[in-house]
Amino acid sequence: MRAQTKQLSDVIPLPASVRPVPAASFTIVSGTAVSAPPSATAVAAHLAAHLAAKWDLPVGEGGAIRLVEDSGLPAEAYRLEITSESVTLTGGTAQGLFWGVQTLLQLGPELPGGVIEDAPRYAYRGAMLDLARHFFTADEVKAHIDLLVQFKINHLHLHLTDDQGWRLEIPGWPLLTEVSGGEGTGVDGTGPGFLTLAEYADVVAYAAERFVTIVPEIDMPGHVNAVQLAYPELTADGQPVSQRTDAEVGYSSLVAGKEETYAFVEDVIKAVCDVTPGPYLHIGGDECHSTPPEDYRTFLARVLPLPGKYGKRAIGWHEIAAADLPETAVVQYWRIEGDAPDVARAAAAGRQVIMAPADRTYLDMKYDPDTRLGLDWAGHVSVRRSYDWDPADRLPGVGEQALLGVEAPLWSETLRSVADLQYLTFPRLPAIAEVAWSPRAARNWESFRTRLAAFGPRWEATGVTFHRSPEIDW
Ligand code: IFG
């Protein structure tokens, strides 16, 4: 049975430090004002509007809820002090205040008294959405971002290209979306469309207002049938390939020995970097079963430096660790084997790693044998299995100091709607968000599953089609 009265620690992700003052509490009512000193005015307006949207709070002077910026705190850190008279939220930056607002929104409107001091364990706390196998519109992606930030997720990786479809308009290469971005180019011929540059810019701006960095992925040299369908000159023999909307992987490859390949790749990388304010460009690199290993290294040697040429850091799925990596390249681990020597070698050489082991973080894995949606090649991933692991223990030779963070990828081969997207995402995304944010020593499955139960009624009230896992006493 869930505790009836809310505790100050009833927050996901669990805050780093919670010091309750049981005798104190503060109830937010409409009319409670939100205020901020000049140093935080611009910030406060956005954040107060966020609060006001929930409780119709006026923004004015001398409010009982005070927002303060303190550059002495780390950027994403915040301090929330709740007394019976007032609420003071201090943030290292606007982003720290925004994360504090998420905590406030989870605790309110009857705020338990006390002090929360909080900051994330990892800087990169990501979710990934595969728009290639099944396309989701800009508005659907923006609505998803609203759900992700509630759990302090601060990166959204968009898998924009694959064998089935190409989902981002590229100037100078119109056939990518005309041929491979149209109706019926998803798995099993479903799903419409692609993002125009304007729609992509809209998603990027919407995400930035919520302190989320968009990480675009152009997957290569594998997973390129959609490219070669649109531009046969990029195949080995110049002959057109046939359209593929099945869910096979590993059968396509750009041609490392063709100069046309690099002209195409550089145009695309430049175009995507030009419309991406965030620091990363993901170049894919996974499952290149049709690229001879020597060609794979040749291709990466020429392509991995390109994001840097256009001011970005390259991220790649961890197979890229077989090649020489630029200093700033990030390796994203995704498999389930017990070790990955190339990744350990990259970590030893100072490269950073994002942990996304499929048997813990792949949201497209079935919860259990009865789950209609999803795949099971990495096994079944229950809510507990997505919570009860630690990124610093996952790979020999890849310890805490090598980890940039954690990501929860959602591949969309079996998705056909936002309801499907939400069913596989919730409640495992909050579990992975806590792995990525909270101090390792503070994490505990029994505590998490109890705190998670409170989100059932909230998701029901807001129409989020989550999986009512039997592991939780909803
Ligand atoms: N592996 C493929 C994805 C997707 C996935 C489904 C990676 C990096 C299996 N590559 O995961 O394209 O098909 O679980």
Side-chain angles (χ1 to χ4, degrees):
M1 190 54 193
R2 262 189 321 106
Q4 290 309 312
T5 55
K6 190 180 296 296
Q7 314 288 321
L8 191 59
S9 55
D10 282 348
V11 177
I12 295 178
L14 183 68
S17 156
V18 177
R19 285 181 280 124
V21 175
S25 71
F26 183 94
T27 300
I28 297 176
V29 293
S30 70
T32 303
V34 180
S35 70
S39 71
T41 305
V43 166
H46 170 75
L47 297 168
H50 199 83
L51 282 167
K54 182 128 178 162
W55 290 307
D56 183 26
L57 304 183
V59 181
E61 291 309 313
I65 298 178
R66 291 191 317 117
L67 304 180
V68 179
E69 264 193 84
D70 170 3
S71 57
L73 287 176
E76 291 199 272
Y78 67 89
R79 181 177 190 278
L80 178 59
E81 180 167 15
I82 300 161
T83 70
S84 296
E85 288 71 44
S86 69
V87 175
T88 305
L89 173 57
T90 307
T93 62
Q95 189 174 25
L97 279 169
F98 189 71
W99 300 140
V101 163
Q102 304 316 313
T103 294
L104 204 48
L105 290 170
Q106 287 190 14
L107 286 169
E110 290 83 22
L111 301 170
V115 179
I116 288 178
E117 294 179 297
D118 204 4
R121 176 180 177 188
Y122 295 119
Y124 187 106
R125 306 181 304 281
M128 186 206 84
L129 200 43
D130 172 6
L131 298 185
R133 275 56 175 271
H134 181 82
F135 180 69
F136 291 97
T137 65
D139 286 344
E140 290 169 338
V141 173
K142 287 155 69 176
H144 192 53
I145 288 169
D146 286 337
L147 300 178
L148 296 174
V149 295
Q150 292 175 20
F151 300 100
K152 305 187 175 74
I153 293 290
N154 65 359
H155 288 80
L156 178 58
H157 168 181
L158 294 178
H159 185 75
L160 294 166
T161 71
D162 215 296
D163 289 314
Q164 297 82 0
W166 186 283
R167 305 296 179 207
L168 177 63
E169 179 188 17
I170 301 291
W173 297 82
L175 298 181
L176 290 171
T177 42
E178 280 172 31
V179 170
S180 295
E183 288 292 330
T185 52
V187 171
D188 302 335
T190 64
F194 60 89
L195 296 175
T196 63
L197 287 176
E199 287 166 331
Y200 180 78
D202 179 38
V203 167
V204 165
Y206 190 88
E209 279 171 17
R210 291 150 184 83
F211 305 95
V212 172
T213 299
I214 295 295
V215 178
E217 179 187 350
I218 305 296
D219 201 350
M220 46 191 167
H223 289 267
V224 293
N225 196 71
V227 175
Q228 295 174 320
L229 177 67
Y231 291 98
E233 64 267 33
L234 293 173
T235 64
D237 58 7
Q239 296 308 309
V241 298
S242 51
Q243 181 179 25
R244 295 284 297 265
T245 59
D246 58 281
E248 284 307 304
V249 298
Y251 57 83
S252 62
S253 175
L254 290 174
V255 184
K258 276 187 137 177
E259 277 313 306
E260 296 90 328
T261 298
Y262 302 99
F264 165 74
V265 167
E266 178 147 8
D267 278 3
V268 169
I269 287 180
K270 180 183 184 315
V272 179
C273 288
D274 283 352
V275 293
T276 299
Y280 301 111
L281 184 98
H282 200 303
I283 58 108
D286 63 306
E287 299 181 318
C288 296
H289 307 324
S290 304
T291 314
E294 199 44 45
D295 287 0
Y296 183 74
R297 280 191 290 276
T298 302
F299 177 86
L300 287 182
R302 291 191 59 175
V303 169
L304 273 172
L306 291 177
K309 179 174 176 182
Y310 296 103
K312 305 297 177 191
R313 294 181 67 181
I315 302 181
W317 300 106
H318 72 258
E319 291 94 318
I320 66 166
D324 294 333
L325 299 177
E327 288 270 311
T328 59
V330 178
V331 172
Q332 180 167 4
Y333 179 72
W334 63 279
R335 294 247 358 131
I336 60 178
E337 286 73 21
D339 70 353
D342 283 352
V343 180
R345 213 178 353 269
R351 304 291 88 73
Q352 290 188 299
V353 177
I354 291 170
M355 268 300 163
D359 57 351
R360 300 289 180 164
T361 69
Y362 268 30
L363 301 176
D364 65 312
M365 291 303 114
K366 293 175 183 294
Y367 288 95
D368 58 42
D370 302 331
T371 307
R372 176 177 62 84
L373 296 166
L375 306 175
D376 59 10
W377 66 268
H380 296 126
V381 180
S382 62
V383 181
R384 179 164 193 169
R385 191 156 171 75
S386 62
Y387 183 84
D388 251 351
W389 67 287
D390 196 84
D393 293 349
R394 188 62 179 76
L395 282 180
V398 184
E400 185 75 359
Q401 78 294 339
L403 295 179
L404 179 59
V406 180
E407 185 180 287
L410 177 55
W411 299 101
S412 57
E413 285 93 336
T414 65
L415 303 188
R416 298 292 178 272
S417 67
V418 167
D420 291 351
L421 155 70
Q422 293 178 348
Y423 184 80
L424 289 177
T425 299
F426 300 101
R428 288 175 294 190
L429 189 274
I432 296 162
E434 183 151 314
V435 172
W437 176 281
S438 305
R440 172 177 185 159
R443 291 204 291 112
N444 167 284
W445 166 248
E446 283 308 320
S447 157
F448 175 75
R449 67 183 289 277
T450 302
R451 286 178 281 120
L452 183 61
F455 288 83
R458 294 176 192 163
W459 285 329
E460 273 168 5
T462 49
V464 174
T465 56
F466 69 104
H467 169 55
R468 300 183 72 82
S469 168
E471 304 163 271
I472 313 300
D473 298 333
W474 299 105

